[in-house]
């Protein structure tokens, strides 16, 4: 099972990243724990300069923008292959 973290204060862009990620998980039919990280001390543990951020299995894959569904799907498949 993958662990996915959405980094950010809960703004509209953070919500969009979460929605794109949840849809990709459903489309792939995989199990994943999706965790919202809103605490700035926790967010700063990752090499991120701006939110929203997306972390898959403790690897920061995207920061400061909303990824496309295709990007998220690719990152999830790659994470499954290396898990």
């Amino acid at each position: 099972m993958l662990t996915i973290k959405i980094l950010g204060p809960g703004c509209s862009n953070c919500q969009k990243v979460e929605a794109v990620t949840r849809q990709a998980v459903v489309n792939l039919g995989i199990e994943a724990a999706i965790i919202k990280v809103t605490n700035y001390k926790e967010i700063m543990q990752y090499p991120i300069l701006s939110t929203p951020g997306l972390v898959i299995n403790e690897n920061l894959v995207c920061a400061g923008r909303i990824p496309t569904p295709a990007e998220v799907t690719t990152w999830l498949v790659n994470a499954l292959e290396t898990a």
Side-chain angles (χ1 to χ4, degrees), residues 7-52:
L7 309 178
C11 63
S12 63
N13 285 343
C14 298
Q15 292 170 5
K16 289 176 187 172
V17 171
E18 181 182 1
V20 168
T21 303
R22 286 188 184 278
Q23 189 60 51
V25 167
V26 169
N27 289 347
L28 289 171
I30 61 175
E31 287 188 44
I34 299 177
I35 303 163
K36 293 185 213 179
V37 179
T38 57
N39 182 304
Y40 278 109
K41 286 183 180 181
E42 291 180 47
I43 292 171
M44 296 314 296
Q45 293 176 1
Y46 299 93
I48 184 173
L49 297 176
S50 62
T51 59

Side-chain angles (χ1 to χ4, degrees), residues 38-77:
T38 57
N39 182 304
Y40 278 109
K41 286 183 180 181
E42 291 180 47
I43 292 171
M44 296 314 296
Q45 293 176 1
Y46 299 93
I48 184 173
L49 297 176
S50 62
T51 59
L54 180 62
V55 175
I56 302 174
N57 285 349
E58 292 305 314
N59 293 314
L60 180 69
V61 294
C62 185
R65 66 182 181 87
I66 300 167
T68 66
E71 287 177 311
V72 175
T73 299
T74 300
W75 295 328
L76 292 173
V77 169

